[in-house]
Amino acid sequence: MHANAMPRSGIRKRAFVAGALGVLTATVALVAPAPPAAAAAAESTLGAAAKQSGRYFGTAIASGRLNDPAYTTIANREFNSVTAENEMKIDATEPQRGQFNFTAGDRVYNWAVQNGKQVRGHTLAWHSQQPGWMQSLSGSNLRQAMIDHINGVMAHYRGKIVQWDVVNEAFADGSSGARRDSNLQRTGNDWIEVAFRTARAADPAAKLCYNDYNIENWTWAKTQAVYAMVRDFKQRGVPIDCVGFQAHFNSGSPYNSNFRTTLQSFAALGVDVAITELDIQGASPTTYANVTNDCLAVPRCLGITVWGVRDTDSWRAEQTPLLFDGNGNKKPAYTAVLNALNGGSPPPVPGSGTIKGVGSGRCLDVPGASTADGTQLQLWDCHNGTNQQWTYTDAGELRVYGNKCLDAAGTGNGAKVQIYSCWGGDNQKWRLNSDGSIVGVQSGLCLDAAGTANGTLIQLYSCWNGSNQRWTRT
């Protein structure tokens, strides 16, 4: 959240399958046909409603409020994702250099997982809420302290956090598009890249996010500056998986309908997007519904987190910006969000059939009906053979022959897509999206055919919505 408006002081689960392959479900031959109305049932809580489209709906949790039964009742009932409000920040987790304290962070984490929720980690490198010892450092000493802090915190939570806000609020407000002049920035312009590379090595399973505020409006210089950084990182192979949009909408930074364009544009770079700290001054039901629908419209939008449970829990309590009032009652904005979530597309239905390329009209095929691990997939004329029959599972796998999985042999552009014995890794899990793309959970890259002819090999490549990256199941 904003450095100049702090909250009152006192996030491994399987990756979600986001979106639905709308062009698929009309023709898929199901293993067990579902009743016609099965996907239309409305859910009664935010988390359950979001889950219908493979997303989450989360909240920020403060450890000091976990003794409040009214607070925990709402939080446990409504949300399926948790972000620690302050408890995983730098001053909380490393109050003295080299001496880590995870008491408060673990309290939030343990409450979340004991109640079946995923956890977002917030935040590892930030100019604000640094302990005094870090504020006094500069240059290479500060750079090393940042690296050590990332390593220390991520080692403690290794394999447990689904997304980390690795770097928070590194760009300046206003029209300059410049980096924020912070002590971390003064260690060298490569500090953000170093933070992400350090984080990837510390916990390869976590999605690594850049998080900021006032980057929702596509026309703003700050938005364009962050976009340019993410584009550069993806081009150079810097490990960034997602961008978090805080979405603190108010009279000074109002919601703009081009927010959807922003989400779509970042997603097109090959990163996931998430709404990470949503609150809206006055809690307009229309605006809350618009933001929710913006996320639902972008297949790579992982989910939404509101920054607090009740208005009285908000860092902006005077703006009454949340979905529940101070007494825990649902506000009109709650109903607007729930209705929007229930109107979203259902996730792909598990089932079996061929997978046909939109651009080629040819099917995803195992050459020669091979069963050998490492056999690279190709395009071939559709013939309904067993080597073209793919089963989409609840685990997000695409299986052939019953025990071989669609498998990514790497995470970069051009990585081979092959069959391999199923073992449950994220490189064998796929997200089927409403635009027809099939995205690797581990890489964030699209299933891609480099041509249209028989024998064209299948690879991973940055998603760009070309017909060679769109598929139908029949």
Side-chain angles (χ1 to χ4, degrees), residues 26 28 33 61 69 126 171 182 187 207 224 300 314 339 353 452:
V28 63
I61 290 290
W126 190 24
F171 283 78
S182 68
T187 69
K207 285 185 181 291
Q224 292 300 314
R300 295 198 70 152
S314 171
N339 288 343
T452 59

Short mmCIF file of all heavy atoms in Angstrom, two decimals, residues 26 28 33 61 69 126 171 182 187 207 224 300 314 339 353 452:
data_model
loop_
_atom_site.label_atom_id
_atom_site.label_comp_id
_atom_site.label_asym_id
_atom_site.label_seq_id
_atom_site.Cartn_x
_atom_site.Cartn_y
_atom_site.Cartn_z
N ALA A 26 -18.34 -26.23 -25.44
CA ALA A 26 -19.54 -26.52 -26.21
C ALA A 26 -19.44 -27.86 -26.94
O ALA A 26 -20.44 -28.52 -27.19
CB ALA A 26 -19.81 -25.42 -27.21
N VAL A 28 -16.86 -30.39 -26.11
CA VAL A 28 -16.08 -31.42 -25.44
C VAL A 28 -16.93 -32.65 -25.16
O VAL A 28 -18.07 -32.56 -24.74
CB VAL A 28 -15.47 -30.88 -24.13
CG1 VAL A 28 -16.54 -30.50 -23.15
CG2 VAL A 28 -14.55 -31.93 -23.49
N PRO A 33 -20.85 -36.94 -18.33
CA PRO A 33 -21.62 -35.74 -18.66
C PRO A 33 -22.30 -35.16 -17.44
O PRO A 33 -22.88 -35.86 -16.62
CB PRO A 33 -22.66 -36.27 -19.67
CG PRO A 33 -22.03 -37.50 -20.25
CD PRO A 33 -21.24 -38.11 -19.16
N ILE A 61 -5.30 -9.80 6.33
CA ILE A 61 -5.57 -10.19 7.71
C ILE A 61 -4.52 -9.59 8.63
O ILE A 61 -3.32 -9.65 8.35
CB ILE A 61 -5.56 -11.73 7.85
CG1 ILE A 61 -6.76 -12.34 7.14
CG2 ILE A 61 -5.51 -12.17 9.31
CD1 ILE A 61 -8.09 -12.07 7.80
N PRO A 69 -13.90 -12.73 17.26
CA PRO A 69 -14.68 -13.77 16.59
C PRO A 69 -15.55 -13.25 15.46
O PRO A 69 -15.77 -13.96 14.47
CB PRO A 69 -15.53 -14.38 17.71
CG PRO A 69 -15.55 -13.35 18.79
CD PRO A 69 -14.25 -12.61 18.69
N TRP A 126 11.16 -3.06 -0.10
CA TRP A 126 10.31 -1.87 -0.10
C TRP A 126 11.06 -0.75 0.60
O TRP A 126 11.76 -0.97 1.58
CB TRP A 126 9.00 -2.20 0.64
CG TRP A 126 7.90 -1.19 0.57
CD1 TRP A 126 7.70 -0.25 -0.38
CD2 TRP A 126 6.82 -1.05 1.50
NE1 TRP A 126 6.57 0.47 -0.11
CE2 TRP A 126 6.00 -0.02 1.05
CE3 TRP A 126 6.47 -1.71 2.68
CZ2 TRP A 126 4.86 0.40 1.73
CZ3 TRP A 126 5.34 -1.31 3.35
CH2 TRP A 126 4.53 -0.27 2.88
N PHE A 171 8.27 2.87 -8.14
CA PHE A 171 8.19 3.95 -9.12
C PHE A 171 7.55 5.20 -8.52
O PHE A 171 6.70 5.12 -7.62
CB PHE A 171 7.40 3.50 -10.35
CG PHE A 171 8.20 2.60 -11.26
CD1 PHE A 171 8.39 1.27 -10.94
CD2 PHE A 171 8.80 3.11 -12.39
CE1 PHE A 171 9.14 0.44 -11.76
CE2 PHE A 171 9.56 2.30 -13.22
CZ PHE A 171 9.73 0.96 -12.90
N SER A 182 14.57 6.20 -3.67
CA SER A 182 14.63 5.55 -2.36
C SER A 182 16.05 5.12 -2.04
O SER A 182 16.93 5.13 -2.92
CB SER A 182 13.72 4.32 -2.35
OG SER A 182 14.26 3.31 -3.21
N THR A 187 21.12 2.20 -4.45
CA THR A 187 22.13 1.15 -4.50
C THR A 187 22.46 0.75 -5.94
O THR A 187 23.38 -0.02 -6.17
CB THR A 187 21.68 -0.12 -3.74
OG1 THR A 187 20.60 -0.75 -4.45
CG2 THR A 187 21.24 0.20 -2.32
N LYS A 207 5.08 -17.73 -7.17
CA LYS A 207 4.95 -16.71 -8.21
C LYS A 207 5.56 -15.42 -7.67
O LYS A 207 5.26 -15.00 -6.54
CB LYS A 207 3.49 -16.48 -8.57
CG LYS A 207 2.87 -17.59 -9.42
CD LYS A 207 1.46 -17.22 -9.82
CE LYS A 207 0.81 -18.31 -10.65
NZ LYS A 207 1.41 -18.45 -11.98
N GLN A 224 2.88 3.22 -17.50
CA GLN A 224 3.71 2.91 -18.66
C GLN A 224 5.15 2.58 -18.27
O GLN A 224 5.80 1.74 -18.92
CB GLN A 224 3.67 4.09 -19.64
CG GLN A 224 2.31 4.30 -20.30
CD GLN A 224 1.87 3.11 -21.11
OE1 GLN A 224 2.64 2.54 -21.89
NE2 GLN A 224 0.62 2.69 -20.92
N ARG A 300 -5.67 -14.21 -17.44
CA ARG A 300 -4.50 -14.30 -16.57
C ARG A 300 -4.66 -13.51 -15.28
O ARG A 300 -3.70 -13.37 -14.53
CB ARG A 300 -3.25 -13.85 -17.33
CG ARG A 300 -2.90 -14.78 -18.48
CD ARG A 300 -1.48 -14.62 -18.96
NE ARG A 300 -0.53 -15.13 -17.97
CZ ARG A 300 0.67 -15.62 -18.28
NH1 ARG A 300 1.05 -15.67 -19.55
NH2 ARG A 300 1.49 -16.04 -17.35
N SER A 314 -10.20 -1.13 8.03
CA SER A 314 -9.49 -0.53 6.91
C SER A 314 -8.50 0.53 7.37
O SER A 314 -8.74 1.25 8.34
CB SER A 314 -10.49 0.10 5.94
OG SER A 314 -9.83 0.86 4.95
N ASN A 339 -22.55 -11.06 -7.25
CA ASN A 339 -23.30 -11.27 -8.50
C ASN A 339 -22.36 -11.32 -9.70
O ASN A 339 -22.54 -12.12 -10.62
CB ASN A 339 -24.35 -10.18 -8.68
CG ASN A 339 -25.51 -10.32 -7.73
OD1 ASN A 339 -25.72 -11.38 -7.13
ND2 ASN A 339 -26.26 -9.25 -7.55
N GLY A 353 -10.92 -35.70 -25.28
CA GLY A 353 -11.16 -35.40 -26.67
C GLY A 353 -9.89 -34.94 -27.34
O GLY A 353 -8.81 -34.96 -26.75
N THR A 452 1.74 -24.51 -39.51
CA THR A 452 0.41 -25.12 -39.65
C THR A 452 0.46 -26.50 -40.32
O THR A 452 -0.57 -27.16 -40.41
CB THR A 452 -0.52 -24.21 -40.48
OG1 THR A 452 0.07 -23.99 -41.76
CG2 THR A 452 -0.74 -22.88 -39.78
#
